[in-house]
Amino acid sequence: MTSIIFTDPSSAAAVHRLSFTRFSNGLVSLRRYVGPLHVFSHTPTLPRALSLHAPRSSRFITAIGVVPGLAVILVGDRKDSATYVRNKKKACESVGIKSFEVNLPNEASEQEVLKYISDFNGDPSVHGILVQLPLPSHMNEQNILNAVTIEKDVDGFHPLNIGRLAMRGKRAVVIGRSNIVGMPAALLLQREDATVTIVHSRTKNPEEITRQADIIISAVGQPNMVRGSWIKPGAVIIDVGINPVEDASSPRGYRLVGDVCYDEACKIAAAVTPVPGGVGPMTIAMLLSNTVSSAKRAYNFN
């Protein structure tokens, strides 16, 4: 396994670490794909990724006497969402960030969620707010995301934060057009001069389109949808999907897989992120980093 850092100088979260599986010599050419890439030879783990941010949190707490706080709102009982929230809570504990957790049933009203967001917006002990997506279908997702004050939007979904991505190759295909991954990923790739195509549920011939890509980013939420026949030899794949599938041999009764059929992809692609252990740890590490940055801004701490 190889760890790669994506550097984005214009972002508050300037460094993004992803783990890739190395295949033959494919990673040698990754620098040509998506801006400046730095390749590391160690195997990344969530604790190791978080250790990069623990000193920042510790220094801030010592200097100001304030513990950074992250509030997470979970609505419903999706297994993948519950896994994310559980891992975020453990990560907070490991780096000294206080976590606030709200668990609401699937039938909760939009107003209930907005009330919690309003309370967290006004709580000086909370420096970051995360609403776990997706939300139940009866809720207006955009209204809820817009309610999070921009100063505490550590997930980057506020319209002004999304807009900043648009202010500023290779052929890339992004599978999925959500505001969570698809659209921001497409904007970042375009900023790096990639030619970007977005594949979604109404796209005709998705397999043919995807097979032309040098870079594939999949975030569609369909287990093993992207098969080996979809992949151009030597392509680089970032699998953002996390899907529970039944597995009687697992203690939980299920296991997590990505959108990409890993066993087939690893025979064709130059590099591919695993699921679990690829995008997930990077996402959590950067979420906590953003929470500490938000707390530092609140107290003008440099």
Side-chain angles (χ1 to χ4, degrees), residues 14 87 93 108 111 126 196:
N87 288 340
E93 294 172 354
Q111 288 305 313
V126 173
V196 182

Side-chain angles (χ1 to χ4, degrees), residues 182-217:
M183 189 270 283
L187 290 171
L188 286 169
L189 287 163
Q190 287 175 334
R191 192 169 63 187
E192 297 295 337
D193 298 321
T195 299
V196 182
T197 301
I198 296 178
V199 170
H200 51 79
S201 59
R202 297 185 181 275
T203 300
K204 295 181 179 179
N205 302 319
E207 178 178 343
E208 181 180 339
I209 294 170
T210 304
R211 195 164 46 238
Q212 300 174 24
D214 302 300
I215 305 163
I216 300 170
I217 299 180

Side-chain angles (χ1 to χ4, degrees), residues 232-243:
K232 174 182 177 180
V236 172
I237 304 172
I238 299 175
D239 190 352
V240 189
I242 179 166
N243 310 290

Side-chain angles (χ1 to χ4, degrees), residues 12 17 104 110 123 138 143 185 205 211 227 251 284:
R17 181 183 294 269
L104 296 173
E110 185 173 321
D123 187 342
H138 66 275
N143 283 348
N205 302 319
R211 195 164 46 238
R227 314 295 301 196
I284 294 173

Side-chain angles (χ1 to χ4, degrees), residues 127-175:
H127 306 96
I129 301 171
L130 181 146
V131 179
Q132 185 65 44
L133 301 179
L135 291 167
S137 58
H138 66 275
M139 294 185 180
N140 187 315
E141 188 173 280
Q142 201 58 54
N143 283 348
I144 289 173
L145 295 178
N146 291 355
V148 177
T149 181
I150 190 170
E151 292 82 7
K152 298 186 179 184
D153 174 35
V154 291
D155 232 5
F157 290 151
H158 190 281
L160 291 179
N161 283 331
I162 290 290
R164 287 177 180 142
L165 288 178
M167 290 166 57
R168 189 202 172 323
K170 289 285 182 177
R171 182 181 294 276
V173 166
V174 177
I175 305 175

